[in-house]
Coordinates of all heavy atoms in Angstrom, one line a residue:
R8 N -16.4 55.7 97.0 CA -16.7 56.7 98.0 C -15.4 57.1 98.6 O -14.7 56.4 99.2 CB -17.6 56.0 99.1 CG -17.9 57.0 100.3 CD -18.7 56.3 101.4 NE -20.0 56.1 100.9 CZ -21.0 57.0 101.0 NH1 -20.7 58.3 101.5 NH2 -22.2 56.7 100.6
T9 N -15.2 58.4 98.5 CA -14.0 59.1 99.1 C -14.4 60.0 100.2 O -13.7 60.5 100.9 CB -13.2 59.9 98.1 OG1 -14.0 61.0 97.6 CG2 -12.8 59.0 96.8
L10 N -15.8 60.1 100.3 CA -16.3 60.9 101.5 C -16.7 60.0 102.6 O -17.5 59.1 102.3 CB -17.6 61.7 100.9 CG -18.0 63.0 101.5 CD1 -16.9 64.0 101.4 CD2 -19.3 63.5 100.7
P11 N -16.2 60.1 103.7 CA -16.8 59.3 104.9 C -18.3 59.4 105.0 O -18.9 60.4 104.8 CB -15.9 59.9 106.2 CG -14.8 60.6 105.5 CD -15.3 61.1 104.2
E12 N -18.8 58.3 105.6 CA -20.3 58.2 105.8 C -20.8 59.4 106.6 O -22.0 59.9 106.3 CB -20.6 56.8 106.5 CG -20.4 55.7 105.6 CD -21.5 55.4 104.6 OE1 -22.4 56.2 104.5 OE2 -21.4 54.5 103.8
D13 N -20.0 59.8 107.6 CA -20.5 60.9 108.5 C -20.1 62.3 108.1 O -20.2 63.3 108.8 CB -20.1 60.6 109.9 CG -18.6 60.6 110.1 OD1 -17.9 60.5 109.1 OD2 -18.1 60.6 111.2
A14 N -19.4 62.4 106.9 CA -18.8 63.6 106.5 C -19.9 64.8 106.3 O -19.7 65.9 106.7 CB -18.1 63.4 105.2
T15 N -21.1 64.4 105.8 CA -22.1 65.5 105.6 C -22.6 66.0 106.9 O -22.7 67.2 107.0 CB -23.2 64.8 104.7 OG1 -22.7 64.4 103.5 CG2 -24.3 65.9 104.5
I137 N -18.1 59.6 94.9 CA -18.8 60.2 95.9 C -17.9 61.1 96.6 O -17.0 60.5 97.4 CB -19.6 59.2 96.8 CG1 -20.5 58.3 96.1 CG2 -20.4 60.0 97.9 CD1 -21.0 57.2 97.0

Side-chain angles (χ1 to χ4, degrees):
R8 175 181 289 277
T9 64
L10 206 59
E12 292 281 358
D13 61 349
T15 300
I137 305 171

